[in-house]
Amino acid sequence: MKILVIGGGGREHAIAWRLKQSPGVSEVIASPGNPGIAQLGRCLPAPATAAGFADLAQTERVDLTVVGPEAPLVAGVVDEFRARSLKIVGPTRAAAQLEGSKIFAKQFFSRAGIPTARSVETGSAEQALDTIKRFTLPVVIKADGLAAGKGVIIAHTTDEAKRAVETLGPLLVIEEFLEGEEVSFIGISNGREVLPLEASQDHKRVGDGDTGPNTGGMGAYCDGRILTAEQTGIVMDRVMNPAVARMAAEGMPFTGFLYAGLMMTPDGPKVLEFNVRLGDPETQALMHRLEGGFVEALQFAAGGERVRLQWKQDPSVCVVLAAQGYPAKPRLGDPINGIEQAEAVCAVVFHAGTKLSSDRLVTAGGRVLGITASGRTLRTAIENAYSAAAKVHFDGLHFRRDIGANGLKRW
Ligand code: AMP
Ligand code: GLY
């Protein structure tokens, strides 16, 4: 089977890496891919349109396409493929609104009875400021559209709230601040049923101990103990199954990866957001830990039979190495060294923001590499990832030192 991966970040490198080792996969290609993926298969420039991707899949005689990022999904790449009877994993443009618009998502949670934070939508700055007065601080302020994880501000003072409204614009969701353990819960659906992946945890803030601005994610870990079997059952019953059932009932069956960002509150899980794709960097940790069944799960989402995923016992950890200035304004073009040495420490180095510039690997994005390792215990997995990370160097490199530490505290 020949598989096309759309995208070119760390998540797509991890998907391609897992696929490349899967029985029955003869070739993996990517568009646009990145220098890490290029070591596994051909990378082709990304076309500008959904039709361009479908042309590419036809020319290359691809058997199945997997979409990594949300942008092509929101642009309707799945609709285009289906119109040409090409197999693809991802939601249609209509279903992708679950991520594309926070307002759509909040209204959907309400229609589907999915537990979430109490919230109010606003359409003008005046209304937003008025609404904020009715919430206790801290209050959470979210921009409506896609913002790569950076459209959310938690305001602790009225002044911070005012500035957030100025920064994010008038189309907002204002919501109550929830406390609890944050969990990334991802399922894969064929439009009728959902197959859960293992739960993982992301680290969204740039600094140790969850300080500083939000990022796309500074690291993740996957450990079978993040949720108990009972909690997983509750998430399936209250969140995943109702979401898929309601989307189908509303004429927008959800196919592909459904990612619920959950807060595990004393009242049970509440959904902070839905994403319509795999998480980044959660996928790097998930793919490292996944043992078997991935290709079959993709086929299930593209219209096939329900399958079982097999997971390794060993927890996995992904530490993101970020560029100078990330998340505000990452500096690009810094030469990268030490990847081979890092891999020699029993880690996989997933490329996220790298490129080749006259044969030198240089930084080309905010999140540069995802150093991913496992271990018999979570502590060993963390140690392995950090020993490998220590081998990599580029100017201005920064990373969090506490990826997975939350798990060590809990168990
Ligand atoms: P979102 O893009 O909605 O997932 O928000 C990004 C991050 O902001 C989340 O991962 C949480 O850490 C935080 N966040 C969002 N909504 C809330 C909320 N209602 N209460 C507390 N934290 C939140
Ligand atoms: N890691 C968060 C996300 O992929 O949205």
PDB file of all heavy atoms in Angstrom, residues 11 70 99 148-149 184 202-204 215-217 259 273 275 277-282 367, ligand 2:
ATOM      1  N   ARG A  11       4.397  16.155  13.863  1.00  0.00           N
ATOM      2  CA  ARG A  11       3.302  15.176  13.860  1.00  0.00           C
ATOM      3  C   ARG A  11       3.356  14.320  12.594  1.00  0.00           C
ATOM      4  O   ARG A  11       3.246  13.087  12.646  1.00  0.00           O
ATOM      5  CB  ARG A  11       1.975  15.940  13.921  1.00  0.00           C
ATOM      6  CG  ARG A  11       0.744  15.121  13.599  1.00  0.00           C
ATOM      7  CD  ARG A  11      -0.499  16.015  13.600  1.00  0.00           C
ATOM      8  NE  ARG A  11      -0.261  17.246  12.848  1.00  0.00           N
ATOM      9  CZ  ARG A  11      -0.836  18.409  13.117  1.00  0.00           C
ATOM     10  NH1 ARG A  11      -1.705  18.513  14.091  1.00  0.00           N
ATOM     11  NH2 ARG A  11      -0.542  19.465  12.391  1.00  0.00           N
ATOM     12  N   GLU A  70      -4.767  21.023  10.377  1.00  0.00           N
ATOM     13  CA  GLU A  70      -6.167  21.399  10.224  1.00  0.00           C
ATOM     14  C   GLU A  70      -6.431  22.232   8.973  1.00  0.00           C
ATOM     15  O   GLU A  70      -7.525  22.158   8.405  1.00  0.00           O
ATOM     16  CB  GLU A  70      -6.677  22.145  11.463  1.00  0.00           C
ATOM     17  CG  GLU A  70      -5.959  23.449  11.813  1.00  0.00           C
ATOM     18  CD  GLU A  70      -4.681  23.248  12.625  1.00  0.00           C
ATOM     19  OE1 GLU A  70      -4.127  22.137  12.631  1.00  0.00           O
ATOM     20  OE2 GLU A  70      -4.217  24.231  13.242  1.00  0.00           O
ATOM     21  N   GLU A  99     -13.274  22.419  14.775  1.00  0.00           N
ATOM     22  CA  GLU A  99     -12.042  23.079  15.186  1.00  0.00           C
ATOM     23  C   GLU A  99     -11.941  24.486  14.628  1.00  0.00           C
ATOM     24  O   GLU A  99     -11.424  25.390  15.277  1.00  0.00           O
ATOM     25  CB  GLU A  99     -10.806  22.276  14.729  1.00  0.00           C
ATOM     26  CG  GLU A  99      -9.510  23.030  14.976  1.00  0.00           C
ATOM     27  CD  GLU A  99      -8.247  22.202  14.865  1.00  0.00           C
ATOM     28  OE1 GLU A  99      -8.346  20.982  14.597  1.00  0.00           O
ATOM     29  OE2 GLU A  99      -7.161  22.756  15.075  1.00  0.00           O
ATOM     30  N   ALA A 148      -3.696  28.313  15.871  1.00  0.00           N
ATOM     31  CA  ALA A 148      -2.536  27.468  16.196  1.00  0.00           C
ATOM     32  C   ALA A 148      -2.263  27.413  17.698  1.00  0.00           C
ATOM     33  O   ALA A 148      -1.126  27.485  18.137  1.00  0.00           O
ATOM     34  CB  ALA A 148      -1.291  27.941  15.446  1.00  0.00           C
ATOM     35  N   GLY A 149      -3.326  27.307  18.481  1.00  0.00           N
ATOM     36  CA  GLY A 149      -3.165  27.177  19.935  1.00  0.00           C
ATOM     37  C   GLY A 149      -2.826  28.485  20.638  1.00  0.00           C
ATOM     38  O   GLY A 149      -2.593  28.502  21.837  1.00  0.00           O
ATOM     39  N   SER A 184      -5.220  15.128  26.744  1.00  0.00           N
ATOM     40  CA  SER A 184      -5.533  15.082  25.313  1.00  0.00           C
ATOM     41  C   SER A 184      -6.103  13.713  24.997  1.00  0.00           C
ATOM     42  O   SER A 184      -5.400  12.704  25.130  1.00  0.00           O
ATOM     43  CB  SER A 184      -4.271  15.295  24.473  1.00  0.00           C
ATOM     44  OG  SER A 184      -3.662  16.522  24.795  1.00  0.00           O
ATOM     45  N   ASP A 202      -0.201  17.128  26.985  1.00  0.00           N
ATOM     46  CA  ASP A 202       0.598  18.137  26.295  1.00  0.00           C
ATOM     47  C   ASP A 202       1.111  19.126  27.348  1.00  0.00           C
ATOM     48  O   ASP A 202       0.646  19.110  28.485  1.00  0.00           O
ATOM     49  CB  ASP A 202      -0.348  18.839  25.302  1.00  0.00           C
ATOM     50  CG  ASP A 202       0.381  19.807  24.383  1.00  0.00           C
ATOM     51  OD1 ASP A 202       1.613  19.796  24.342  1.00  0.00           O
ATOM     52  OD2 ASP A 202      -0.323  20.577  23.704  1.00  0.00           O
ATOM     53  N   HIS A 203       2.035  19.972  26.981  1.00  0.00           N
ATOM     54  CA  HIS A 203       2.536  21.039  27.867  1.00  0.00           C
ATOM     55  C   HIS A 203       2.470  22.318  27.056  1.00  0.00           C
ATOM     56  O   HIS A 203       3.370  22.595  26.268  1.00  0.00           O
ATOM     57  CB  HIS A 203       3.963  20.740  28.303  1.00  0.00           C
ATOM     58  CG  HIS A 203       4.114  19.447  29.059  1.00  0.00           C
ATOM     59  ND1 HIS A 203       3.822  18.222  28.511  1.00  0.00           N
ATOM     60  CD2 HIS A 203       4.480  19.212  30.337  1.00  0.00           C
ATOM     61  CE1 HIS A 203       4.034  17.276  29.433  1.00  0.00           C
ATOM     62  NE2 HIS A 203       4.424  17.862  30.534  1.00  0.00           N
ATOM     63  N   LYS A 204       1.392  23.081  27.217  1.00  0.00           N
ATOM     64  CA  LYS A 204       1.115  24.168  26.276  1.00  0.00           C
ATOM     65  C   LYS A 204       1.916  25.445  26.530  1.00  0.00           C
ATOM     66  O   LYS A 204       2.242  26.167  25.607  1.00  0.00           O
ATOM     67  CB  LYS A 204      -0.380  24.503  26.309  1.00  0.00           C
ATOM     68  CG  LYS A 204      -1.245  23.388  25.733  1.00  0.00           C
ATOM     69  CD  LYS A 204      -2.261  23.909  24.734  1.00  0.00           C
ATOM     70  CE  LYS A 204      -2.903  22.811  23.918  1.00  0.00           C
ATOM     71  NZ  LYS A 204      -4.027  22.144  24.581  1.00  0.00           N
ATOM     72  N   THR A 215       1.845  28.011  23.715  1.00  0.00           N
ATOM     73  CA  THR A 215       2.535  27.668  22.468  1.00  0.00           C
ATOM     74  C   THR A 215       1.686  26.611  21.768  1.00  0.00           C
ATOM     75  O   THR A 215       0.639  26.227  22.279  1.00  0.00           O
ATOM     76  CB  THR A 215       3.906  27.044  22.772  1.00  0.00           C
ATOM     77  OG1 THR A 215       3.682  25.750  23.370  1.00  0.00           O
ATOM     78  CG2 THR A 215       4.714  27.907  23.727  1.00  0.00           C
ATOM     79  N   GLY A 216       2.183  26.104  20.649  1.00  0.00           N
ATOM     80  CA  GLY A 216       1.517  24.966  20.013  1.00  0.00           C
ATOM     81  C   GLY A 216       1.672  23.693  20.837  1.00  0.00           C
ATOM     82  O   GLY A 216       0.965  22.717  20.619  1.00  0.00           O
ATOM     83  N   GLY A 217       2.601  23.688  21.797  1.00  0.00           N
ATOM     84  CA  GLY A 217       2.877  22.487  22.609  1.00  0.00           C
ATOM     85  C   GLY A 217       4.377  22.281  22.717  1.00  0.00           C
ATOM     86  O   GLY A 217       5.058  22.178  21.709  1.00  0.00           O
ATOM     87  N   TYR A 259     -10.005  15.028  18.354  1.00  0.00           N
ATOM     88  CA  TYR A 259      -9.137  15.298  19.502  1.00  0.00           C
ATOM     89  C   TYR A 259      -9.912  16.157  20.482  1.00  0.00           C
ATOM     90  O   TYR A 259     -10.283  17.282  20.153  1.00  0.00           O
ATOM     91  CB  TYR A 259      -7.893  15.993  18.968  1.00  0.00           C
ATOM     92  CG  TYR A 259      -6.980  16.714  19.938  1.00  0.00           C
ATOM     93  CD1 TYR A 259      -5.608  16.676  19.733  1.00  0.00           C
ATOM     94  CD2 TYR A 259      -7.437  17.462  21.014  1.00  0.00           C
ATOM     95  CE1 TYR A 259      -4.727  17.356  20.565  1.00  0.00           C
ATOM     96  CE2 TYR A 259      -6.571  18.130  21.854  1.00  0.00           C
ATOM     97  CZ  TYR A 259      -5.221  18.073  21.621  1.00  0.00           C
ATOM     98  OH  TYR A 259      -4.368  18.752  22.431  1.00  0.00           O
ATOM     99  N   GLU A 273     -11.771  22.126  24.115  1.00  0.00           N
ATOM    100  CA  GLU A 273     -11.797  22.347  22.672  1.00  0.00           C
ATOM    101  C   GLU A 273     -11.828  21.003  21.974  1.00  0.00           C
ATOM    102  O   GLU A 273     -11.430  19.987  22.525  1.00  0.00           O
ATOM    103  CB  GLU A 273     -10.545  23.097  22.223  1.00  0.00           C
ATOM    104  CG  GLU A 273      -9.272  22.319  22.517  1.00  0.00           C
ATOM    105  CD  GLU A 273      -8.043  22.796  21.765  1.00  0.00           C
ATOM    106  OE1 GLU A 273      -8.163  23.651  20.875  1.00  0.00           O
ATOM    107  OE2 GLU A 273      -6.949  22.293  22.060  1.00  0.00           O
ATOM    108  N   ASN A 275     -10.288  19.371  18.398  1.00  0.00           N
ATOM    109  CA  ASN A 275      -9.497  19.530  17.187  1.00  0.00           C
ATOM    110  C   ASN A 275      -9.889  18.389  16.270  1.00  0.00           C
ATOM    111  O   ASN A 275     -10.333  17.335  16.736  1.00  0.00           O
ATOM    112  CB  ASN A 275      -7.995  19.462  17.489  1.00  0.00           C
ATOM    113  CG  ASN A 275      -7.530  20.662  18.309  1.00  0.00           C
ATOM    114  OD1 ASN A 275      -7.920  21.790  18.037  1.00  0.00           O
ATOM    115  ND2 ASN A 275      -6.728  20.411  19.323  1.00  0.00           N
ATOM    116  N   ARG A 277      -8.053  16.615  14.165  1.00  0.00           N
ATOM    117  CA  ARG A 277      -6.802  16.034  13.675  1.00  0.00           C
ATOM    118  C   ARG A 277      -6.044  15.513  14.879  1.00  0.00           C
ATOM    119  O   ARG A 277      -6.455  15.714  16.018  1.00  0.00           O
ATOM    120  CB  ARG A 277      -5.993  17.164  13.026  1.00  0.00           C
ATOM    121  CG  ARG A 277      -5.963  18.343  14.009  1.00  0.00           C
ATOM    122  CD  ARG A 277      -4.985  19.398  13.729  1.00  0.00           C
ATOM    123  NE  ARG A 277      -5.129  20.460  14.712  1.00  0.00           N
ATOM    124  CZ  ARG A 277      -4.579  20.462  15.917  1.00  0.00           C
ATOM    125  NH1 ARG A 277      -3.836  19.442  16.310  1.00  0.00           N
ATOM    126  NH2 ARG A 277      -4.762  21.472  16.742  1.00  0.00           N
ATOM    127  N   LEU A 278      -4.936  14.860  14.615  1.00  0.00           N
ATOM    128  CA  LEU A 278      -4.062  14.431  15.700  1.00  0.00           C
ATOM    129  C   LEU A 278      -3.367  15.642  16.319  1.00  0.00           C
ATOM    130  O   LEU A 278      -3.186  16.662  15.650  1.00  0.00           O
ATOM    131  CB  LEU A 278      -3.005  13.474  15.153  1.00  0.00           C
ATOM    132  CG  LEU A 278      -3.465  12.033  14.908  1.00  0.00           C
ATOM    133  CD1 LEU A 278      -2.512  11.308  13.968  1.00  0.00           C
ATOM    134  CD2 LEU A 278      -3.560  11.278  16.220  1.00  0.00           C
ATOM    135  N   GLY A 279      -2.969  15.521  17.576  1.00  0.00           N
ATOM    136  CA  GLY A 279      -2.278  16.629  18.242  1.00  0.00           C
ATOM    137  C   GLY A 279      -0.801  16.648  17.898  1.00  0.00           C
ATOM    138  O   GLY A 279      -0.217  15.626  17.560  1.00  0.00           O
ATOM    139  N   ASP A 280      -0.208  17.801  18.017  1.00  0.00           N
ATOM    140  CA  ASP A 280       1.227  17.971  17.824  1.00  0.00           C
ATOM    141  C   ASP A 280       1.719  18.743  19.044  1.00  0.00           C
ATOM    142  O   ASP A 280       1.287  19.884  19.225  1.00  0.00           O
ATOM    143  CB  ASP A 280       1.468  18.758  16.528  1.00  0.00           C
ATOM    144  CG  ASP A 280       2.932  18.799  16.134  1.00  0.00           C
ATOM    145  OD1 ASP A 280       3.784  18.560  17.002  1.00  0.00           O
ATOM    146  OD2 ASP A 280       3.218  19.091  14.961  1.00  0.00           O
ATOM    147  N   PRO A 281       2.501  18.177  19.930  1.00  0.00           N
ATOM    148  CA  PRO A 281       3.362  17.004  19.821  1.00  0.00           C
ATOM    149  C   PRO A 281       2.812  15.697  20.421  1.00  0.00           C
ATOM    150  O   PRO A 281       3.583  14.749  20.560  1.00  0.00           O
ATOM    151  CB  PRO A 281       4.592  17.436  20.620  1.00  0.00           C
ATOM    152  CG  PRO A 281       4.023  18.245  21.746  1.00  0.00           C
ATOM    153  CD  PRO A 281       2.820  18.944  21.168  1.00  0.00           C
ATOM    154  N   GLU A 282       1.535  15.600  20.740  1.00  0.00           N
ATOM    155  CA  GLU A 282       1.034  14.341  21.307  1.00  0.00           C
ATOM    156  C   GLU A 282       1.319  13.158  20.371  1.00  0.00           C
ATOM    157  O   GLU A 282       1.642  12.054  20.818  1.00  0.00           O
ATOM    158  CB  GLU A 282      -0.479  14.406  21.544  1.00  0.00           C
ATOM    159  CG  GLU A 282      -0.904  15.330  22.687  1.00  0.00           C
ATOM    160  CD  GLU A 282      -1.238  16.727  22.216  1.00  0.00           C
ATOM    161  OE1 GLU A 282      -0.616  17.193  21.241  1.00  0.00           O
ATOM    162  OE2 GLU A 282      -2.121  17.355  22.821  1.00  0.00           O
ATOM    163  N   ARG A 367       8.909  25.543  16.542  1.00  0.00           N
ATOM    164  CA  ARG A 367       9.207  24.253  17.152  1.00  0.00           C
ATOM    165  C   ARG A 367      10.093  23.523  16.154  1.00  0.00           C
ATOM    166  O   ARG A 367       9.673  23.246  15.029  1.00  0.00           O
ATOM    167  CB  ARG A 367       7.916  23.507  17.444  1.00  0.00           C
ATOM    168  CG  ARG A 367       7.097  24.239  18.528  1.00  0.00           C
ATOM    169  CD  ARG A 367       5.911  23.437  18.981  1.00  0.00           C
ATOM    170  NE  ARG A 367       4.890  23.323  17.956  1.00  0.00           N
ATOM    171  CZ  ARG A 367       3.806  22.568  18.083  1.00  0.00           C
ATOM    172  NH1 ARG A 367       3.624  21.860  19.176  1.00  0.00           N
ATOM    173  NH2 ARG A 367       2.917  22.514  17.123  1.00  0.00           N
TER     174      ARG A 367
HETATM  175  N1  GLY B   2      -0.859  19.999  21.055  1.00  0.00           N
HETATM  176  C1  GLY B   2      -2.049  20.711  20.857  1.00  0.00           C
HETATM  177  C2  GLY B   2      -2.597  20.628  19.520  1.00  0.00           C
HETATM  178  O1  GLY B   2      -2.154  19.871  18.686  1.00  0.00           O
HETATM  179  O2  GLY B   2      -3.529  21.354  19.249  1.00  0.00           O
END
